[in-house]
Amino acid sequence: MSERHTVLRSLHDVGLAAWFGGSLMGAVGLNGAAKEQGADWQRGARIASAGWSLWAPVGAVAIGAHLVGSGGLLGANAARVLTQQGVAASTLAKTALTGAALAATVYGRVLGKKIELASSGTPQDADKAERLPIDTAQAERHLSYVQWAVPALTCGLIVLNAIHGEQQRPAQQLYGMLRRARTLAPYVMSIHRWRRTH
């Protein structure tokens, strides 16, 4: 069991680290370098698009590894989620942040593809860009926000992961379970009284 948890934790942590690090490096380094080195908008967009296209498969593997690790750890810690006060709330917050980070990542890739096609210069790519529902100026504007949303959201996941780690300390587990038991005690007593009277 410990080996399986080690593998799951590794998938979870390494995947999240690559997701956060890749998105932050892209926003700061790749996009910044493309703006500085591009002689014009088209050239800069091509440099950035080429870099993001190379990163996309690696990023997809990292996200997949993180999701597999997250799902496995959730299953392995299901009892704690149910019995330890505070774990369910942090798990729900982590799930919501993961969904938001996934949505931002996918949307960013769609916007990036629009800019990649619009800056290509070939007629076929220009036609494909025109068929996409968002115009180039709007895509650039949205991407300028999304490129920072992904590292911000994944940073939030790292913080929640640290909170989960603290909640796994033996003293925290005992305290959380006692709090959960104290919270549920009135409901258990009322059910017991109802059964006695019916």
Side-chain angles (χ1 to χ4, degrees):
M1 185 68 76
S2 61
E3 286 183 11
R4 189 177 69 146
H5 285 198
T6 299
V7 171
L8 290 174
R9 287 183 191 281
S10 298
L11 289 170
H12 175 280
D13 293 350
V14 173
L16 180 56
W19 193 3
F20 168 72
S23 62
L24 184 61
M25 192 280 170
V28 176
L30 177 57
N31 291 349
K35 285 180 181 178
E36 285 187 8
Q37 298 301 315
D40 52 28
W41 173 85
Q42 196 172 38
R43 178 63 179 164
R46 285 178 184 171
I47 293 171
S49 296
W52 281 112
S53 293
L54 289 171
W55 169 253
V58 180
V61 170
I63 293 169
H66 174 67
L67 294 178
V68 169
S70 294
L73 288 174
L74 180 60
N77 293 299
R80 283 185 54 244
V81 173
L82 293 174
T83 59
Q84 184 179 347
Q85 186 83 13
V87 176
S90 60
T91 300
L92 184 61
K94 194 172 178 182
T95 302
L97 268 186
T98 301
L102 277 171
T105 300
V106 171
Y107 187 50
R109 184 62 187 142
V110 171
L111 295 173
K113 194 65 180 176
K114 167 71 177 186
I115 294 170
E116 178 185 338
L117 292 171
S119 64
S120 170
T122 64
Q124 295 87 347
D125 287 344
D127 289 341
K128 290 178 184 176
E130 287 297 324
R131 287 198 292 269
L132 291 175
I134 188 170
D135 65 67
T136 305
Q138 192 177 23
E140 276 196 297
R141 191 164 55 252
H142 288 191
L143 191 57
S144 67
Y145 296 110
V146 172
Q147 70 180 2
W148 295 107
V150 176
L153 290 166
T154 50
C155 181
L157 288 172
I158 292 171
V159 172
L160 285 173
N161 193 40
I163 292 171
H164 271 195
E166 290 297 314
Q167 289 174 332
Q168 289 179 358
R169 292 175 181 267
Q172 287 293 313
Q173 289 190 44
L174 179 60
Y175 176 69
M177 289 176 183
L178 289 174
R179 283 183 61 200
R180 175 57 59 88
R182 189 169 55 193
T183 303
L184 294 177
Y187 300 103
V188 173
M189 293 301 294
S190 64
I191 292 171
H192 180 67
R193 283 195 296 269
W194 183 84
R195 284 180 174 174
R196 289 181 60 185
T197 55
H198 288 77

